[in-house]
Amino acid sequence: MFRVLFYRPEIPPNTGNAIRLAANTGCELHLVEPLGFTLEDKQLRRAGLDYHDLARVHVHADLAAAWEALLPAKVYAFTAHATRLYTDVSYAPGDVLMFGPESAGLPDDVQRAAEVTDRLRLPMLPNNRSLNLANTAAIAVYEGWRQNGFATP
């Protein structure tokens, strides 16, 4: 299945919701430190409900460690500044769907790193800054899963 990568997430409920997403879709969730919370955070645990034991969550000390664990794979960096739509890609199991911190999104140097296959965006109304992190990840995961016939891992 797909691998969701949150680069330096800041808001515990978003990561908790991503844990539920991973548990319910068979995806892996990869988190790059520093995190804006601990994995024992009350809000994270509440948002993840009782799915924590059903999800595969990996924490990486930095982006280099994440690349070491995830590559070789196609890496799609999601950013509001991309021109290519998330629906313009043919996703395959093992692909990495990468998202940045809630306050600023992926830094330019990260989204343009050599390891990144392409930059993608979800459409939204003009003059709006961003979508919620967990919602964006869910939309991307379900598009990839749909393209693959909702196959189970």
Side-chain angles (χ1 to χ4, degrees):
M1 190 45 68
F2 305 104
R3 295 174 293 165
V4 175
L5 175 61
F6 281 5
Y7 176 80
R8 299 181 174 181
E10 300 164 330
I11 301 174
N14 281 329
T15 299
N17 287 331
I19 288 169
R20 286 177 72 179
L21 174 68
N24 283 295
T25 62
C27 290
E28 294 178 6
L29 178 61
H30 292 260
L31 307 173
V32 175
E33 294 181 314
L35 308 180
F37 48 85
T38 70
L39 292 180
E40 300 308 316
D41 186 285
K42 183 177 169 182
Q43 290 178 309
L44 179 136
R45 305 288 303 166
R46 182 174 182 180
L49 292 175
D50 57 351
Y51 289 94
H52 294 267
D53 293 338
L54 301 175
R56 291 173 291 165
V57 179
H58 308 275
V59 180
H60 305 283
D62 54 31
L63 189 54
W67 292 145
E68 188 174 319
L70 295 167
L71 298 178
K74 289 184 179 176
V75 177
Y76 296 105
F78 285 76
T79 171
H81 306 291
T83 56
R84 192 162 185 205
L85 291 175
Y86 77 106
T87 52
D88 293 339
V89 171
S90 293
Y91 299 97
D95 286 351
V96 177
L97 312 176
M98 182 180 191
F99 304 88
E102 293 90 340
S103 65
L106 284 170
D108 195 57
D109 63 319
V110 172
Q111 60 180 274
R112 295 184 185 279
E115 294 83 359
V116 172
T117 305
D118 206 348
R119 297 167 59 226
L120 306 174
R121 71 177 179 86
L122 274 70
M124 58 185 170
L125 294 175
N127 303 318
N128 287 351
R129 195 169 42 96
S130 66
L131 292 168
N132 172 273
L133 174 62
N135 292 344
T136 303
I139 291 167
V141 165
Y142 271 88
E143 173 60 17
W145 200 18
R146 181 195 67 79
Q147 288 182 15
N148 285 270
F150 297 107
T152 56

